[in-house]
Amino acid sequence: MTLEIIKNGLSTTVQDLGRPGYFHLGIPQSGAMDRYALRAANLLVGNPEDAACLEAVFMGPEITFTADCTIAVCGAEIPVTLDGTACETWTSIAVSAGQTLKFGFLTAGARLYIAVSGGIDTPADLGSRSTYPIGALGGVAGRAVQPGDSLPVGTGTAAAAGRCVPANLRRLPATPAALRVLPGLYWDRLTDAAKDRFFADTWTVASEADRMGYRFKGGHPLEFVDREQPFGAGSDPSNIVDGCYSYGSIQVPGGTEPIVLHRDAVSGGGYFTLGAVISADMDLVGQLQPNMPVRFVRVDMDEALTARRHESERLDRLRQALR
């Protein structure tokens, strides 16, 4: 069986849960920007949670199926039609050979995940089918899908149609979105007033928002504690001698507009980072649209670990609901 790509949307890529283990070599994890939504879509169609799906940004693709299967669309809210008949998101859908899937205009969120029973079976690179275009890894020859592509699908037992993720187990950002932040190694580079203003300000998502990072604008510029810049750090106080970045790190080039580093981001560099968005909220970052208001909320390590546990418990409830 194959998925025949008629239209590719704005940017549609093959993604799974990524390729951990190579960050120290400069190769990012990649994988779904909203990992929970990808897992939900896979569970709905009877796939392993880490099977490869299509991740589409802002616009859905147009796809024709060459064999009977079960599909699901999770993540962003968007009208879905199969041969012109409206279908529900977060629900398993029976598809017959020859039918065509189309999408309307996005109503909430930013990224949708399209799972098909059997999973997309493009070749894996370094243990993952996730597309990383900069490194030409995964996906379709390391690139986003294009019209005319024929994507192979694996074999598997399709789940029944009509299964649904309960409403209380779906998650999209509120307005304004709240992103919890754990201050980091370079936090003491800021003045106390700058620290307070960073969390007091309402920021908005800039147009520069992609799989590498999300830029935010509209807050006060940062103020730095005076110091003699160390050798190799340059003259700008927002620069450091090169250091490592974690997933979710917030770098602030020039001290003006924070950038949250996401799944395809670099692993290190010379910009200071004030902390990191906690892992429990990184899926929410992937569902933010440009111009959405955002507040950063300070948390400590105990609160971050509690939030991570709560997300793990929510995933367990999802698994139970779809058994």
Side-chain angles (χ1 to χ4, degrees), residues 226-252:
D226 289 337
R227 71 167 182 175
E228 181 180 346
Q229 286 287 90
F231 177 78
S235 59
D236 192 300
S238 70
N239 289 352
I240 58 170
V241 178
D242 285 7
C244 300
Y245 297 150
S246 69
Y247 170 54
S249 286
I250 305 172
Q251 61 176 209
V252 193

Side-chain angles (χ1 to χ4, degrees), residues 107 117 127 249:
T107 59
S117 52
S249 286

Side-chain angles (χ1 to χ4, degrees), residues 177-184 186-187 189-204 214-224 248-253 255-261 272-278 285 293-299:
L179 301 178
R180 291 167 286 187
V181 171
L182 188 64
Y186 305 103
W187 183 241
R189 290 287 299 116
L190 299 179
T191 66
D192 289 341
K195 294 174 182 175
D196 292 340
R197 284 196 295 266
F198 175 75
F199 289 114
D201 286 341
T202 296
W203 301 81
T204 56
Y214 263 64
R215 181 184 289 266
F216 298 85
K217 61 183 181 181
H220 289 85
L222 299 180
E223 295 174 348
F224 292 85
S249 286
I250 305 172
Q251 61 176 209
V252 193
T256 56
E257 296 181 343
I259 300 171
V260 176
L261 303 181
F272 123 104
T273 57
L274 59 78
V277 173
I278 65 174
V285 176
V294 172
R295 298 289 301 274
F296 293 105
V297 179
R298 181 173 182 171
V299 295

Side-chain angles (χ1 to χ4, degrees), residues 243-312:
C244 300
Y245 297 150
S246 69
Y247 170 54
S249 286
I250 305 172
Q251 61 176 209
V252 193
T256 56
E257 296 181 343
I259 300 171
V260 176
L261 303 181
H262 220 294
R263 304 298 301 183
D264 285 357
V266 296
S267 56
Y271 291 122
F272 123 104
T273 57
L274 59 78
V277 173
I278 65 174
S279 60
D281 287 351
M282 287 300 287
D283 284 354
L284 291 179
V285 176
Q287 293 293 358
L288 295 173
Q289 298 180 9
N291 297 315
M292 281 189 67
V294 172
R295 298 289 301 274
F296 293 105
V297 179
R298 181 173 182 171
V299 295
D300 59 24
M301 181 61 79
D302 287 341
E303 291 170 313
L305 293 174
T306 298
R308 187 175 70 174
R309 187 178 71 250
H310 288 167
E311 277 304 291
S312 178

Side-chain angles (χ1 to χ4, degrees), residues 70-179:
T70 300
I71 65 168
V73 179
C74 295
E77 287 300 333
I78 189 169
V80 181
T81 62
L82 190 63
D83 277 357
T85 300
C87 302
E88 296 291 328
T89 56
W90 298 91
T91 302
S92 57
I93 304 166
V95 177
S96 299
Q99 288 194 297
T100 298
L101 181 72
K102 296 183 180 180
F103 296 89
F105 295 106
L106 200 69
T107 59
R111 288 176 171 80
L112 51 137
Y113 293 86
I114 307 161
V116 56
S117 52
I120 295 173
D121 195 25
T122 48
D125 288 327
L126 301 177
S128 170
R129 295 181 170 83
S130 288
T131 310
Y132 176 49
I134 294 175
L137 297 174
V140 182
R143 59 163 173 77
V145 301
Q146 299 293 331
D149 282 345
S150 183
L151 306 183
V153 174
T155 57
T157 302
R163 301 197 314 151
C164 179
V165 174
N168 65 343
L169 292 180
R170 307 175 189 183
R171 187 188 187 202
L172 283 175
T175 304
L179 301 178

Side-chain angles (χ1 to χ4, degrees), residues 3-41:
L3 305 183
E4 302 300 316
I5 305 299
I6 310 303
K7 297 180 181 177
N8 59 329
L10 188 62
S11 176
T12 301
T13 56
V14 176
Q15 299 292 342
D16 53 25
L17 291 181
R19 52 177 65 83
Y22 302 96
F23 208 44
H24 66 294
L25 300 176
I27 299 173
Q29 301 175 79
S30 298
M33 292 280 282
D34 183 346
R35 294 161 60 87
Y36 180 86
L38 179 137
R39 290 177 187 271

